[in-house]
Amino acid sequence: MIELSGLRRYNTRSGTTRLEADIKFIGMKIPAPADKLYLEVDANFGGMLVDDAYDSFMLVALHSAMFHKTDLRIRGNVSKRLYKNLTNYTQKILCDYSDEFSPVKIIVDGFTSTAATGNLIGAGISCGADSLSTVYDRFIREDDPDYRINALFFFNCGANGYFADPFTATAARNNFRHGATCAAELGLPIIFVDTNLHRLKPAESKETFIFFATFACVLAMQNAVRRYYIAGSYSYGEIKRCGVEFDCHDLAGFGESFFLPLIQTERTEIILDGCQYRRIDKVVKLADWDIARKFLYVCASHTEDASNCGTCQKCLRTLLTFEMLGKLDDFAKIFDVEQYRRESFNYKVSCVLNADKDIFCREIVDLAAELNFPMPTRSGCYILGDNVMLVADD
Ligand SMILES: [Zn+2]
């Protein structure tokens, strides 16, 4: 059994406020990955941390409990809505997604009060296409104060690597700096949330853990956050058509549209934003936004200065979209466009060849057709080893 107890909030000597709980792995054969879990913010924001509910720690501990097939005991209170959703629905989705998870019991002492107190409308700021699309729609275009973003957040909870890897904290700080510069230009406050939640990240199941850790960070801020936008990765149509293909390797593609709305409490609503678009539509939307031209960071190679290599799959598909729109040079300051130009032909050929089996290639080919942008033709494309050969046109 995994047990959580001793929830507390306190100020540290280094000027931060920490929300902390003890975690025990009772009667289990694995070495305990941690004896305490914490989330920490600058002391100026310490009042945001909720200290009467184990909701955030419950989420990451539930992931561990389901992964290790053992029950979860919480010696304190949780949100009734979250407890019911996790017990009745969320576990079923996770078990359908991958057989590495098993349903478990969650045993709690009781439930917290239901009064909402926060007035922040939050979102993350990774500066990827999904993230900037949400900020553009829900901050630049939104004028309803109940739904307009008024604070940005950056969570160090596992997206940048394993806790024990010394590069993880450095990468998180580098990415935070980039997000903070962007937030300053937008005129929005940004709150860095440091954690050790990723001590629980299992090497075999790292992809699903980040969902739980991210939600945990949002729900830790329940005293202040009334609504929080999570930027979705896939469109409703893609999830409907291709969900089964994402079994076991991409929870977002498998079902973020029905999984995520279950992560709620009475105090904080989490909204999945972005599923109303194809990925490529988000990139098209960002092409004319000056903030995107300065801060868009999609690169999979994780450079220290948040620059984009121009040649990884994420850079290639983003730059090909800009090329189709005639906007490539507008992004020359943040992408290696020359490198892209050297590699773009091979990428276009691979998009044409893989359009039937890869969502992103399909979107590229569809947009090219919509814009009358010339692409290599399918009958003329052959791949021999790593080399692309163009033999003849249709
Ligand atoms: Zn790249």
Side-chain angles (χ1 to χ4, degrees):
M1 173 179 283
I2 294 177
E3 182 182 276
L4 290 171
S5 63
L7 183 67
R8 62 243 180 215
R9 184 181 70 188
Y10 61 93
N11 291 331
T12 70
R13 288 182 185 170
S14 51
T16 62
T17 302
R18 183 176 279 207
L19 183 70
E20 194 170 77
D22 299 316
I23 183 164
K24 293 190 183 118
F25 298 79
I26 301 166
M28 294 171 63
K29 288 182 181 154
I30 58 158
D35 59 2
K36 290 181 180 59
L37 296 176
Y38 68 82
L39 301 103
E40 190 171 86
V41 295
D42 185 288
N44 290 321
F45 306 123
M48 294 183 179
L49 293 169
V50 65
D51 60 352
D52 66 347
Y54 281 77
D55 299 342
S56 56
F57 297 126
M58 173 167 65
L59 281 168
V60 286
L62 176 63
H63 183 275
S64 282
M66 292 183 71
F67 185 76
H68 294 295
K69 308 184 193 317
T70 189
D71 290 339
L72 174 60
R73 175 79 170 93
I74 296 168
R75 298 204 173 275
N77 296 336
V78 299
S79 152
K80 185 182 281 190
R81 179 181 295 171
L82 183 63
Y83 169 85
K84 292 287 184 186
N85 284 352
L86 293 178
T87 299
N88 297 334
Y89 313 117
T90 309
Q91 291 195 53
K92 174 64 176 156
I93 295 171
L94 215 56
C95 293
D96 283 351
Y97 169 69
S98 169
D99 59 13
E100 72 185 15
F101 296 107
S102 295
V104 302
K105 273 191 209 145
I106 308 172
I107 306 146
V108 301
D109 284 355
F111 301 107
T112 48
S113 77
T114 58
T117 53
N119 57 11
L120 292 187
I121 315 295
I125 183 75
S126 69
C127 291
D130 296 329
S131 161
L132 286 187
S133 169
T134 289
V135 172
Y136 185 72
D137 278 359
R138 306 277 83 86
F139 176 62
I140 300 292
R141 285 182 166 175
E142 181 66 67
D143 54 13
D144 182 339
D146 288 335
Y147 283 84
R148 186 172 191 235
I149 291 169
N150 57 19
L152 294 169
F153 290 83
F154 189 98
F155 305 139
N156 177 27
C157 63
N160 297 285
Y162 290 101
F163 185 84
D165 182 346
F167 182 69
T168 299
T170 308
R173 283 285 169 190
N174 288 341
N175 290 341
F176 169 68
R177 258 199 308 276
H178 187 66
T181 312
C182 181
E185 288 229 7
L186 289 163
L188 284 168
I190 184 166
I191 295 133
F192 182 83
V193 182
D194 200 13
T195 83
N196 76 338
L197 300 180
H198 36 323
R199 275 192 180 278
L200 299 190
K201 185 175 174 181
E204 312 89 322
S205 184
K206 57 188 178 188
E207 176 266 332
T208 48
F209 179 81
I210 191 61
F211 284 90
F212 286 77
T214 301
F215 303 151
C217 290
V218 176
L219 295 187
M221 315 297 286
Q222 282 184 72
N223 282 351
V225 175
R226 180 174 297 253
R227 254 178 213 107
Y228 191 93
Y229 293 106
I230 297 274
S233 301
Y234 295 94
S235 73
Y236 291 120
E238 286 161 354
I239 293 167
K240 180 180 153 197
R241 281 193 308 277
C242 312
V244 174
E245 292 169 24
F246 291 108
D247 250 7
C248 306
H249 72 275
D250 188 341
L251 183 59
F254 175 78
E256 63 180 348
S257 56
F258 50 87
F259 172 80
L260 191 142
L262 293 165
I263 311 300
Q264 302 284 340
T265 72
E266 295 78 1
R267 290 182 263 201
T268 300
E269 178 187 15
I270 298 183
I271 299 174
L272 180 62
D273 182 79
C275 290
Q276 67 272 37
Y277 298 114
R278 295 178 303 177
R279 168 71 63 108
I280 208 159
D281 296 327
K282 298 176 190 171
V283 177
V284 170
K285 185 175 56 180
L286 298 176
D288 290 318
W289 190 22
D290 57 337
I291 291 287
R293 290 176 179 182
K294 283 171 88 169
F295 295 103
L296 181 62
Y297 178 47
V298 300
C299 189
S301 56
H302 300 298
T303 51
E304 215 168 276
D305 60 350
S307 62
N308 296 281
C309 73
T311 58
C312 70
Q313 288 293 305
K314 288 184 168 183
C315 283
L316 284 168
R317 70 177 181 237
T318 305
L319 288 177
L320 177 50
T321 308
F322 291 142
E323 185 188 351
M324 287 193 274
L325 296 166
K327 313 268 183 188
L328 195 54
D329 289 332
D330 294 335
F331 288 83
K333 282 193 179 142
I334 57 170
F335 283 88
D336 190 337
V337 168
E338 291 313 310
Q339 192 64 26
Y340 165 76
R341 286 199 168 100
R342 283 191 281 276
E343 306 213 7
S344 64
F345 179 75
N346 280 8
Y347 182 66
K348 289 169 190 168
V349 171
S350 77
C351 285
V352 172
L353 287 174
N354 293 309
D356 292 339
K357 48 189 182 220
D358 182 284
I359 283 173
F360 299 123
C361 293
R362 176 80 263 153
E363 290 185 358
I364 290 279
V365 170
D366 287 349
L367 184 67
E370 289 164 25
L371 296 171
N372 286 321
F373 180 84
M375 292 283 279
T377 53
R378 190 179 174 82
S379 66
C381 299
Y382 295 87
I383 291 183
L384 295 176
D386 292 335
N387 301 313
V388 174
M389 296 183 66
L390 191 70
V391 176
D393 269 354
D394 276 338

